[in-house]
Amino acid sequence: MSQKILKPLVLLLLSYCFLASAYSVAAAENNLEQRLIVLEDKEAIRTLLLNYGRYVDARDWDNFVTLFATDGGTWNGGMGIAKGHSEIKNMMVNSIGTGNNIGKNGSGMSNLHLYSNEVIEVTGNTATALSKWVFMMTAESGGPDPVFIGHYVDALIKVNGVWKFQERVVHGDITRPTSLNGLNNSTE
């Protein structure tokens, strides 16, 4: 093969390799960016799940309802079904109360939620989550008393860059007969 033909052929082959390499790098960077976005979304959702518990335990219903989408956010559990911020807040106030969550000896909490084992799947601006919970109360003797164990099934939506509950379904998996005296420490 003559050099006259070989030189353009080598240049063409090198150009092709360069373009293929550049395309691969761009695709890898795009894939890396997408993976980073999913990881950031999962961390934001974990924070949402934990804030749910913090606000319930603090009886902070004004902040609690902001965790739900304004367009039809729904809470569904043992206390009933509520849709929208106003209904959700009213159900929580009427079921749990607004008083301080203070333990029997005047310190600590009378009850609290523990969360674990979350599995989060993100697809664009929607996601699903499954997580476990334990509801603890102060025992008559003053120690911790696990009263309910269950799981949440969540449909989530990203609204203006912020993750919200579209629907939270509460399932009680293990319960035992007990008095829930002290749960509703309402000051009303």
Side-chain angles (χ1 to χ4, degrees), residues 8-121:
L9 199 54
V10 168
L11 286 175
L12 181 63
L13 183 60
L14 287 174
S15 297
Y16 173 77
C17 289
F18 175 76
L19 289 174
S21 175
Y23 176 78
S24 294
V25 169
E29 287 175 357
N30 187 40
N31 186 33
L32 183 60
E33 183 178 336
Q34 290 302 316
R35 289 172 53 200
L36 180 59
I37 289 169
V38 169
L39 290 173
E40 289 173 339
D41 285 340
K42 285 184 176 186
E43 191 58 31
I45 291 168
R46 279 187 193 89
T47 300
L48 173 72
L49 301 178
L50 293 174
N51 282 340
Y52 174 95
R54 288 185 189 108
Y55 295 150
V56 168
D57 293 339
R59 313 300 193 258
D60 184 352
W61 307 125
D62 290 330
N63 281 315
F64 178 80
V65 297
T66 67
L67 302 175
F68 291 83
T70 55
D71 183 18
T74 303
W75 189 97
N76 180 345
M79 297 181 295
I81 299 173
K83 188 171 185 174
H85 289 188
S86 179
E87 281 186 28
I88 293 170
K89 181 178 179 179
N90 287 337
M91 182 178 61
M92 293 300 177
V93 167
N94 292 330
S95 299
I96 298 175
T98 58
N100 292 327
N101 184 6
I102 299 174
K104 292 180 184 209
N105 63 3
S107 66
M109 298 179 128
S110 67
N111 57 76
L112 63 96
H113 294 77
L114 304 175
Y115 299 99
S116 67
N117 299 30
E118 72 278 347
V119 177
I120 301 167
E121 297 293 330

Side-chain angles (χ1 to χ4, degrees), residues 137-165:
M137 291 188 71
T138 304
E140 289 299 320
S141 63
D145 186 14
V147 178
F148 300 109
I149 300 171
H151 71 278
Y152 296 109
V153 178
D154 300 314
L156 307 154
I157 187 166
K158 194 174 190 181
V159 180
N160 297 324
V162 179
W163 285 98
K164 304 281 185 178
F165 292 107

Side-chain angles (χ1 to χ4, degrees), residues 116-131:
S116 67
N117 299 30
E118 72 278 347
V119 177
I120 301 167
E121 297 293 330
V122 176
T123 307
N125 288 329
T126 62
T128 58
L130 172 68
S131 56

